[in-house]
């Protein structure tokens, strides 16, 4: 028996320290060190292939001599999942799927496991009983005779089962519930999460089996696990969305096998997640009459153009400090745009409450939404509706200039496709477009005051 030992772990970055300090020396966060019971893993106490490990030969190779091979991908029936993974599931990859509780992670991956009827899938559930998973599968109305379920939390037992079953895909729901008996601390603690994930990492790399690890995060992203795991896994997918809306977004935060900032969009229905292939049509509410404070932005999320409705409400402030509330849009960015309008356009937002919202409950990071946001703010400020069938794409700079956006052709094509008639873009985008002809009228502008003159 080796001696039981404790150490302090930072719940933010996973830093290990022999003594407690108020501030983590590694990431600088305050009050994140917590004591955990550990036992230093001795040489051969790993659950995955303990004996093979020492036998494996290590040698240095010349990079040029390594045979180039396309990484093998398993293309799933779910187009959105393929997209965020960069074209399918790569063999031997370790993928972390992080999201708030209740967002639909279990549903999505149960569903995808059931859809893959060519592959033996093992779904490890540490959270739900067999009956619960069965009930959910019934709700999804899917059947698959190569889908196996294991309700177990000990990694030793899990790997025994895996050796017997030899699955082609492993889904772990969730990594926080697992525990390895070589570490003494309780499930969900930093050292456990790290140990369990590294066991799965070794399993994935040695057998070429893809593994999905599901992990919970809280609103602030503060629960330890996923943050630490981000370094260990090949791909990090974040599942997000507003629980009060049906739309869910699967975003790539890190991907060793493809581009990041890819986006998959799903709709939560009574029978599981439905991939949304034409998001722009859904995100724009089709109204007969034009209302003030609404503008359409042509944004780009990853490779994918997305037309989004931006809503703003500007009202007289009743309190001394005016309110600035935003949902789906960065509040500091909103303050910045208001300051630009105040300084460069002479609009007095200082006396007004401002509320902004991105329709559909989605979050937008593309700065090209600025122009639509400014237009929506001006429209509500003036209480006048914007012209019909108009769409915006442009970033707004601190001096009130409208800056060029990347891949403007793609945005124009999307707006064209949805039947918009006019599009306002930066005049600096004009050059790149050359003499191309579009079926949409392009209006180019250099400054926000020109925008105001054009709109009102
Ligand atoms: P779940 O996948 O359990 O979330 P997570 O694993 O991320 O914690 O999803 C829970 C929610 O999904 C729950 O509120 C019910 C809802 N749901 C549907 O709307 N439709 C469905 O077909 C299913 C199975 C769940
Ligand atoms: Mg779950």
């Amino acid at each position: 028996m080796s001696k039981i030992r404790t150490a302090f772990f930072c719940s933010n970055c996973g830093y290990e320290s022999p003594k407690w300090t108020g501030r983590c020396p590694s990431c600088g966060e305050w009050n994140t060190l917590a004591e955990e019971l550990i036992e230093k893993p001795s040489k051969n106490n790993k659950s995955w292939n303990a004996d093979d490990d020492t036998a494996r030969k290590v040698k240095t190779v010349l990079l040029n001599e390594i045979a180039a091979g396309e990484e093998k991908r398993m293309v799933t029936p779910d187009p959105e999942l393929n997209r965020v993974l960069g074209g399918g599931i790569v063999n031997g990859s370790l993928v972390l799927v992080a999201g708030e509780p209740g967002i639909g992670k279990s549903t999505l991956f149960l569903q995808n496991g059931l859809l893959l009827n060519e592959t033996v899938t093992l779904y490890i559930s540490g959270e739900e009983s067999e009956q619960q998973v069965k009930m959910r599968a019934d709700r999804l109305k899917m059947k698959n005779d190569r889908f196996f379920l294991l309700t177990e939390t000990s990694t030793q037992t899990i790997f025994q089962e895996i050796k017997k079953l030899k699955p082609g895909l492993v889904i772990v729901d969730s990594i926080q519930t697992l525990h390895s008996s070589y570490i003494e601390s309780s499930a969900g603690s930093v050292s456990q999460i790290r140990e369990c994930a590294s066991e799965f990492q070794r399993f994935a790399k040695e057998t070429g089996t893809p593994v999905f690890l599901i992990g919970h995060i809280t609103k602030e992203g503060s629960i330890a696990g996923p943050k630490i795991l981000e370094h260990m896994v090949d791909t990090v997918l974040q599942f997000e969305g507003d629980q009060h809306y049906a739309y869910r977004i699967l975003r790539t935060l890190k991907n060793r096998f493809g581009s990041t900032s890819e986006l998959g969009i799903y709709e939560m229905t009574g029978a599981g997640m439905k991939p949304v292939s034409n998001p722009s049509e859904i995100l724009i509410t089709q109204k007969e009459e034009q209302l003030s404070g609404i503008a359409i932005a042509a944004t780009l999320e990853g490779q994918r153009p997305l037309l989004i409705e931006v809503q703003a409400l500007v009202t007289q402030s009743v309190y001394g400090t005016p309110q600035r509330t935003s949902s789906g849009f960065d509040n500091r960015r909103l303050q910045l745009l208001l300051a630009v309008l105040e300084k460069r356009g002479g609009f007095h937002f200082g006396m007004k409450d401002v509320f902004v919202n991105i329709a559909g409950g989605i979050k937008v990071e593309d700065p090209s939404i600025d122009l639509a946001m400014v237009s929506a703010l001006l429209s509500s400020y003036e209480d006048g509706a914007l012209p019909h069938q108009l769409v915006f794409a442009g970033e707004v700079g601190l001096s009130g200039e409208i800056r060029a956006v990347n891949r403007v052709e793609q945005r124009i094509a999307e707006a064209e496709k949805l039947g918009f008639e006019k599009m306002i873009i930066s005049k600096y985008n004009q050059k790149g477009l050359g003499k191309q002809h579009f079926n949409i009228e392009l209006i180019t502008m250099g400054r926000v005051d020109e925008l105001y003159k054009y709109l009102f």
Side-chain angles (χ1 to χ4, degrees):
M1 263 306 277
S2 56
K3 211 174 118 229
I4 286 176
R5 203 172 72 88
T6 66
F8 294 84
F9 286 91
C10 170
S11 60
N12 187 48
C13 68
Y15 176 80
E16 184 182 340
S17 157
K19 62 178 197 330
W20 189 85
T21 50
R23 187 175 191 212
C24 171
S26 169
C27 65
E29 282 291 312
W30 287 93
N31 234 348
T32 51
L33 260 61
E35 185 171 21
E36 284 178 18
L37 216 51
I38 53 161
E39 193 187 335
K40 270 279 169 224
S42 62
K43 257 188 199 126
N44 55 0
N45 63 0
K46 296 283 185 221
S47 358
W48 173 248
N49 267 359
D51 8 309
D52 286 15
D53 215 30
T54 39
R56 231 178 62 219
K57 286 218 174 60
V58 187
K59 67 176 198 303
T60 323
V61 290
L62 201 63
L63 184 61
N64 285 345
E65 281 173 5
I66 301 173
E70 266 284 290
E71 68 248 346
K72 287 215 176 62
R73 285 181 190 264
M74 189 198 299
V75 179
T76 72
D78 178 347
E80 304 296 296
L81 184 64
N82 291 337
R83 186 202 312 274
V84 292
L85 292 173
I89 306 173
V90 176
N91 285 356
S93 64
L94 188 64
V95 181
L96 171 69
V97 184
E100 287 166 35
I103 201 84
K105 302 179 294 297
S106 305
T107 309
L108 182 64
F109 283 90
L110 177 65
Q111 176 180 325
N112 271 304
L114 288 169
L115 277 174
L116 283 169
N117 40 24
E118 303 281 295
T119 314
V120 176
T121 305
L122 177 65
Y123 186 94
I124 300 158
S125 179
E127 288 184 349
E128 286 159 297
S129 68
E130 286 163 13
Q131 277 70 31
Q132 278 173 307
V133 179
K134 173 77 182 146
M135 268 161 58
R136 179 173 292 153
D138 288 345
R139 196 168 163 189
L140 299 174
K141 296 192 185 65
M142 280 192 245
K143 275 211 169 67
N144 184 334
D145 43 13
R146 291 186 199 188
F147 185 89
F148 292 86
L149 178 66
L150 174 65
T151 49
E152 177 57 57
T153 56
S154 153
T155 52
Q156 272 73 15
T157 322
I158 290 172
F159 284 119
Q160 270 169 22
E161 290 299 310
I162 285 181
K163 274 180 199 158
K164 272 187 258 162
L165 186 68
K166 297 197 172 52
L169 173 70
V170 176
I171 301 167
V172 179
D173 185 8
S174 66
I175 184 74
Q176 272 111 340
T177 57
L178 296 192
H179 69 90
S180 167
S181 56
Y182 298 117
I183 297 251
E184 297 266 341
S185 56
S186 58
S189 63
V190 177
S191 46
Q192 276 292 3
I193 289 178
R194 208 161 44 176
E195 172 62 23
C196 295
S198 73
E199 284 172 16
F200 274 100
Q201 187 189 34
R202 282 160 15 97
F203 161 71
K205 299 296 165 221
E206 283 169 27
T207 60
T209 313
V211 178
F212 282 86
L213 301 176
I214 295 176
H216 299 295
I217 48 167
T218 57
K219 266 250 180 319
E220 303 78 42
S222 64
I223 285 254
K227 270 266 173 286
I228 300 156
L229 291 177
E230 281 177 19
H231 305 289
M232 304 175 63
V233 300
D234 298 310
T235 305
V236 180
L237 302 181
Q238 182 156 316
F239 207 28
E240 54 187 47
D242 196 318
Q243 294 208 13
H244 304 293
Y245 291 92
Y247 299 108
R248 300 282 184 273
I249 288 176
L250 194 60
R251 215 184 266 281
T252 320
L253 298 185
K254 163 183 175 179
N255 196 356
R256 289 188 182 144
F257 310 109
S259 102
T260 52
S261 75
E262 276 300 354
L263 202 76
I265 302 179
Y266 293 92
E267 186 182 356
M268 183 65 130
T269 66
M273 296 279 177
K274 214 175 94 223
V276 176
S277 50
N278 53 346
S280 299
E281 284 170 31
I282 296 165
L283 292 171
I284 299 170
T285 31
Q286 307 289 342
K287 286 185 213 70
E288 254 95 84
E289 51 168 340
Q290 283 297 101
L291 303 169
S292 73
I294 289 179
I296 310 290
T299 65
L300 205 63
E301 289 286 351
Q303 298 293 320
R304 188 171 206 198
L306 209 58
L307 296 199
I308 291 177
E309 186 176 302
V310 178
Q311 306 170 339
L313 180 66
V314 178
T315 58
Q316 199 61 40
S317 181
V318 280
Y319 300 109
T321 352
Q323 295 187 59
R324 269 92 182 88
T325 311
S326 54
S327 87
F329 189 74
D330 183 19
N331 210 6
R332 273 173 303 180
R333 186 97 201 141
L334 172 64
Q335 312 237 20
L336 187 149
L337 293 178
L338 290 173
V340 169
L341 287 176
E342 185 106 32
K343 175 95 180 173
R344 311 287 170 193
F347 300 97
H348 300 296
F349 282 98
M351 310 295 291
K352 309 273 190 185
D353 285 343
V354 177
F355 307 90
V356 301
N357 180 37
I358 308 290
I362 65 169
K363 260 198 235 113
V364 179
E365 278 157 19
D366 184 0
S368 70
I369 197 172
D370 285 357
L371 199 58
M373 182 57 79
V374 164
S375 307
L377 288 167
L378 291 175
S379 161
S380 183
Y381 184 92
E382 293 293 341
D383 203 16
L386 296 177
H388 208 53
Q389 300 297 5
L390 180 62
V391 62
F392 302 87
E395 186 182 341
V396 174
L398 286 187
S399 51
E401 82 276 20
I402 299 172
R403 308 174 58 152
V405 294
N406 62 346
R407 289 191 290 186
V408 70
E409 294 93 337
Q410 238 178 308
R411 302 170 197 256
I412 297 173
E414 182 77 358
E416 247 177 20
K417 200 171 87 192
L418 290 171
F420 282 87
E421 286 155 13
K422 288 177 187 166
M423 180 158 175
I424 300 187
I425 58 172
S426 160
K427 71 174 182 196
Y428 306 105
N429 266 133
Q430 179 79 67
K431 256 187 252 140
L433 288 173
K435 293 241 173 327
Q436 287 180 62
H437 179 75
F438 297 100
N439 289 326
I440 188 168
E441 186 189 339
L442 293 179
I443 303 151
T444 55
M445 287 180 190
R447 304 187 50 79
V448 282
D449 20 314
E450 284 172 56
L451 176 71
Y452 180 78
K453 280 196 209 99
Y454 175 82
L455 295 176
F456 301 102

